[in-house]
Amino acid sequence: MLAFAAISDESRAARRASLPDEDLLLRITREDKDAFCTLYEQTSGAVYAYALSLLRHSQDAEDVMQETFLKIRGAAHLYTPQGKPMAWILTITRNLCMMRFRQQRRTAAVSVEAAAEDPGFDRITDLEDRIVLKAALESLTPEESRIIILHAVSGLKHRQIGELLDLPLSTVLSKYSRGLKKLRKELEGKL
């Protein structure tokens, strides 16, 4: 038991030694490059791991990690000493991850609208087929049409469509199925 306590004390001391202290941030404010490098060495692994746990994509996590350190370098003067610089650093990381989520949603929303407005009819070379398909899609509700286009043309999975359109998966599946039945009936009547 005594050996375990000694190991725990040693590992706690090592962890404390590897955590950034407030002095590093003050030195970064004075444009001390060595202090910035030390901070990066001490915290980059934790920042990357935290970003990866939120974003679940390694390239995005690396980007956020780099953005975090750029933000730290530019905003070190805004840090108010509270004894926990790592909490401040991870807060910056979390905020950047949330910004990335919002940007991805906006981009996805724009592409959803673009896909719904132009579902790829330009790939259909026969003019009659294009007219029939467009008319068939117009027989659907806008939501059914959007779901079918996002799945068939954009290749999104039903779960992703649900997240994009803020619908439960069961609703997406039922609207997709109902829409396909309507399309079949509409196309059978036209062909």
Side-chain angles (χ1 to χ4, degrees):
M1 183 71 168
L2 212 47
F4 177 72
I7 292 171
S8 296
D9 289 340
E10 286 176 21
S11 64
R12 276 192 218 114
R15 267 187 266 143
R16 259 188 256 117
S18 69
L19 289 176
D21 60 2
E22 293 178 337
D23 182 52
L24 278 176
L25 290 171
L26 294 174
R27 288 175 34 211
I28 291 170
T29 302
R30 290 177 279 187
E31 311 228 355
D32 183 341
K33 290 181 177 128
D34 291 334
F36 184 75
C37 289
T38 302
L39 179 76
Y40 182 85
E41 289 170 5
Q42 289 179 352
T43 61
S44 62
V47 168
Y48 174 76
Y50 185 54
L52 185 61
S53 73
L54 294 172
L55 299 171
R56 301 197 187 282
H57 187 267
S58 62
Q59 187 64 45
D60 288 343
E62 287 176 22
D63 291 346
V64 165
M65 180 184 72
Q66 297 303 322
E67 290 172 33
T68 298
F69 287 100
L70 289 173
K71 190 75 112 175
I72 290 169
R73 187 158 189 170
H77 65 282
L78 298 175
Y79 174 74
T80 53
Q82 299 170 357
K84 296 184 181 182
M86 195 62 190
W88 182 71
I89 292 168
L90 292 179
T91 299
I92 292 171
T93 305
R94 187 194 71 226
N95 291 343
L96 290 170
C97 287
M98 294 304 121
M99 283 175 43
R100 187 160 293 251
F101 279 134
R102 284 192 292 275
Q103 288 170 343
Q104 288 172 346
R105 278 197 194 129
R106 254 186 256 126
T107 304
V110 169
S111 64
V112 167
E113 295 308 316
E117 288 175 16
D118 180 21
F121 290 138
D122 59 335
R123 293 184 208 135
I124 300 171
T125 56
D126 186 10
L127 183 60
E128 286 181 35
D129 288 345
R130 192 184 294 184
I131 291 170
V132 169
L133 185 56
K134 207 168 201 171
L137 282 172
E138 287 173 0
S139 71
L140 302 174
T141 67
E143 204 165 60
E144 290 169 339
S145 177
R146 195 173 302 134
I147 289 169
I148 289 172
I149 289 169
L150 287 172
H151 182 69
V153 177
S154 300
L156 293 175
K157 297 189 183 313
H158 295 293
R159 186 174 310 281
Q160 294 170 316
I161 294 168
E163 290 169 3
L164 283 173
L165 300 178
D166 199 27
L167 295 170
L169 178 60
S170 58
T171 303
V172 171
L173 291 170
S174 66
K175 288 185 183 273
Y176 179 76
S177 177
R178 194 175 317 126
L180 284 180
K181 285 178 186 172
K182 284 183 185 178
L183 276 178
R184 246 183 242 115
K185 203 180 275 188
E186 185 72 25
L187 290 174
E188 285 172 359
K190 304 246 183 208
L191 296 177

